[in-house]
């Protein structure tokens, strides 16, 4: 697994911008806008990862889909293939899960409580509820830390992720 290296991400963003300098004016303009978004996202990742490290949460990047929090290992794994903007959204969300698990509001993972069957409708609704809560708490954290993030991109990412949980829960 790789740790976050802001300098490396900035160098990659600059290389993408430089490659586009040979293209049309319209493509250069879009590339410059993307470069600016990448720099804001890299700044956001730095702030969020610093917050995680203050709580002894490790944040690693690897070839995976989306992101996961392992509360027992106190670690978050983020897709290293995703763009910095998408990584910010996933990290905000996983920080939200950490806040749920570590701020006196523990919920059983996968919605299973006691003898409840994890495949039951109640368990699935609990999972969807926790996912909503993680997005909400993560976003509140990002605002409190003044993390620069693309609100429209974040809302789309949240909607897509929640939609997948709706579909999963609906297969009851």
């Amino acid at each position: 697994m790789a740790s976050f290296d802001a300098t490396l991400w900035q160098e990659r963003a600059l290389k993408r911008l430089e490659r586009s300098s040979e293209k049309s004016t319209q493509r250069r303009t879009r590339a410059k806008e993307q470069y600016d978004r990448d720099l804001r996202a890299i700044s956001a990742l730095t702030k969020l990862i610093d917050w995680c490290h203050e709580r002894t949460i490790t944040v690693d990047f690897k070839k995976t889909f989306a992101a996961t929090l392992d509360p027992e290992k106190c670690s978050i794994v983020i897709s290293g293939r995703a763009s910095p903007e998408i990584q910010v959204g996933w990290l905000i969300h996983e920080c939200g899960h950490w806040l749920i698990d570590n701020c006196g509001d523990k919920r059983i993972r996968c919605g299973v409580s006691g003898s409840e069957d994890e495949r039951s409708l109640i368990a699935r609704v609990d999972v969807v509820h926790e996912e909503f809560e993680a997005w909400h708490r993560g976003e509140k954290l990002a605002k409190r830390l003044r993390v620069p993030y693309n609100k429209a991109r974040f809302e789309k990412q949240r909607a897509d992720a929640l939609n997948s949980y709706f579909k999963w829960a609906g297969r009851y």
Side-chain angles (χ1 to χ4, degrees), residues 28-69:
R28 279 194 307 270
T29 301
R30 282 196 311 257
K32 176 65 171 115
E33 291 168 356
Q34 182 61 52
Y35 175 73
D36 292 341
R37 286 194 309 271
D38 284 348
L39 291 183
R40 280 192 300 278
I42 292 164
S43 171
L45 286 167
T46 300
K47 280 186 174 188
L48 289 165
I49 290 169
D50 287 347
W51 181 87
C52 289
H53 287 167
E54 288 170 7
R55 283 144 189 84
T56 66
I57 305 165
T58 60
V59 179
D60 291 307
F61 297 80
K62 69 177 194 174
K63 294 177 182 177
T64 185
F65 176 75
T68 57
L69 166 70

Side-chain angles (χ1 to χ4, degrees), residues 1-166:
M1 284 190 254
S3 297
F4 179 71
D5 181 349
T7 304
L8 176 63
W9 272 112
Q10 290 166 347
E11 289 170 2
R12 288 177 181 168
L14 184 58
K15 283 181 185 176
R16 282 192 301 274
L17 177 63
E18 289 169 349
R19 280 193 305 265
S20 70
S21 67
E22 301 148 11
K23 312 287 181 189
S24 69
T25 304
Q26 185 179 17
R27 289 182 105 181
R28 279 194 307 270
T29 301
R30 282 196 311 257
K32 176 65 171 115
E33 291 168 356
Q34 182 61 52
Y35 175 73
D36 292 341
R37 286 194 309 271
D38 284 348
L39 291 183
R40 280 192 300 278
I42 292 164
S43 171
L45 286 167
T46 300
K47 280 186 174 188
L48 289 165
I49 290 169
D50 287 347
W51 181 87
C52 289
H53 287 167
E54 288 170 7
R55 283 144 189 84
T56 66
I57 305 165
T58 60
V59 179
D60 291 307
F61 297 80
K62 69 177 194 174
K63 294 177 182 177
T64 185
F65 176 75
T68 57
L69 166 70
D70 185 335
E72 292 174 13
K73 292 182 181 177
C74 209
S75 68
I76 295 172
V77 175
I78 305 282
S79 172
R81 296 177 176 183
S83 71
E85 279 184 312
I86 297 299
Q87 290 175 340
V88 168
W90 289 129
L91 187 52
I92 287 171
H93 174 69
E94 296 307 327
C95 288
H97 277 295
W98 188 88
L99 288 167
I100 290 168
D101 290 343
N102 290 283
C103 293
D105 190 16
K106 285 200 178 274
R107 299 197 182 137
I108 307 298
R109 299 299 297 171
C110 300
V112 181
S113 59
S115 63
E116 187 66 44
D117 181 349
E118 68 182 30
R119 294 167 297 169
S120 74
L121 180 59
I122 292 169
R124 289 172 183 248
V125 168
D126 285 347
V127 170
V128 172
H129 181 260
E130 182 171 330
E131 290 301 315
F132 266 100
E133 189 66 19
W135 284 104
H136 174 71
R137 289 190 190 195
E139 187 174 26
K140 282 176 57 178
L141 171 68
K143 288 177 180 176
R144 189 173 75 239
L145 296 176
R146 293 188 170 97
V147 170
Y149 67 99
N150 182 324
K151 178 105 170 127
R153 173 90 50 165
F154 177 82
E155 289 173 349
K156 170 84 168 89
Q157 187 175 0
R158 178 183 60 198
D160 289 344
L162 290 171
N163 187 42
S164 70
Y165 276 98
F166 296 151

